Amino acid sequence: PNRVFRASMQVSKLNLVVTAFRLGGQLGTAAGGGSGGGSDLSLNLYYPRLQESCEVVVSLQEMGSCLGRGVFELEEGEARTTAIEWLCRRLKVDISPDPENKARKIMKAELVATKQAAWVASYQQLDPSVPVASERVEGVPLKFIPANTRGDLVLRKGVKLKGGAEAQRGVGECLVSVFSRAPGEAPGHGLVFECYNADTGHTTTLHVEASELKRQVGGKVQLLEDPRQVRDTVESLLYRLVLTPSPVGGLSLSLDMKLMPNLFD
């Protein structure tokens, strides 16, 4: 009953299932009707690949020094979840041989975090071993797009993506959902590709603007405007989807025209 968080996350370059529990006190409100913030946080880490787990207890004092307050002093919902995720990403997880059983490995974790500027913490989490794409997007101005923006469902299909097996540790197939960019808008105005991995619960999203869609179909805008051809066109674009690990953790989704360049000839 005291579980407050559960998610699949990449911690110390390992794909773990993280479950957070509240230690001490009750969920909801404390005595007097206020928010019950005086509780420690237990983080249970499970590594499916080795079927090993460990626990880290973050005290109220530690949360105060890292976040300025305890996570249970924050409102339940996005604010509290974001704070818990912040702590999870600052866990240092180590896998080592079990000295008592050579056939087994043990997992240990500790919180390594200090109160510092957000950009410093994010910079320290970068993974320089992930290569940067040689070809960068150009000609289209970059703009902020909310992660939850999507419109009407155009297509949903289970597919094997290029790079999926490598990026997801052997799991190549994903459930891909394609939406228009906003409710009621034509797919030719922009598409939102969502890739969901049922094994890890991880979702990655790709927003494609109208100009990029036109480039992908070789300028044949009728393929995106004719309602009878839109679904087949979108399904064909799935062959160009590429899944890669992101330098900041998680996965990245992209469209590569070099895959089946004659797709719309």
Side-chain angles (χ1 to χ4, degrees), residues 187-191 208-217 224 237:
H189 295 172
L191 292 174
V208 184
E209 292 189 334
S211 58
E212 176 61 17
L213 285 175
K214 183 178 179 181
R215 189 176 76 94
Q216 289 286 338
V217 299
L224 299 166
L237 287 173

Side-chain angles (χ1 to χ4, degrees), residues 171-261:
V171 181
E173 187 167 289
C174 296
L175 179 65
V176 178
S177 303
V178 186
F179 304 86
S180 60
R181 72 173 187 175
E185 284 213 39
H189 295 172
L191 292 174
V192 180
F193 292 81
E194 286 188 357
C195 175
Y196 172 72
N197 183 331
D199 287 351
T200 63
H202 192 280
T203 301
T204 183
T205 305
L206 172 67
H207 294 263
V208 184
E209 292 189 334
S211 58
E212 176 61 17
L213 285 175
K214 183 178 179 181
R215 189 176 76 94
Q216 289 286 338
V217 299
K220 298 178 180 180
V221 293
Q222 69 274 13
L223 296 177
L224 299 166
E225 295 176 350
D226 187 347
R228 296 169 299 178
Q229 302 184 68
V230 166
R231 182 181 174 87
D232 290 339
T233 302
V234 172
E235 189 169 2
S236 297
L237 287 173
L238 299 184
Y239 291 108
R240 290 181 174 172
L241 282 178
V242 180
L243 200 60
T244 55
S246 169
V248 294
L251 301 172
S252 294
L253 196 62
S254 62
L255 281 171
D256 187 357
M257 282 191 67
K258 294 178 181 178
L259 299 177
M260 304 184 71

Side-chain angles (χ1 to χ4, degrees), residues 133-142 209 211-212 215:
S134 57
E135 295 183 7
R136 307 271 182 113
V137 177
E138 58 182 46
V140 179
L142 299 178
E209 292 189 334
S211 58
E212 176 61 17
R215 189 176 76 94

Side-chain angles (χ1 to χ4, degrees), residues 8-86:
S8 175
M9 301 180 64
Q10 189 175 76
V11 182
S12 296
K13 302 180 183 179
L14 301 174
N15 291 326
L16 307 177
V17 177
V18 181
T19 308
F21 298 91
R22 183 174 192 161
L23 298 180
Q26 299 292 325
L27 284 173
T29 57
S35 174
S39 300
D40 295 339
L41 181 71
S42 170
L43 299 173
N44 182 275
L45 312 177
Y46 175 68
Y47 189 23
R49 188 175 182 183
L50 297 180
Q51 297 184 341
E52 290 292 336
S53 64
C54 66
E55 182 184 30
V56 177
V57 176
V58 185
S59 67
L60 180 62
Q61 290 74 20
E62 288 179 299
M63 288 186 278
S65 64
C66 298
L67 301 169
R69 65 180 71 182
V71 296
F72 300 109
E73 296 177 37
L74 301 169
E75 291 293 330
E76 185 176 356
E78 183 177 355
R80 183 179 295 177
T81 298
T82 301
I84 294 174
E85 289 176 342
W86 190 94

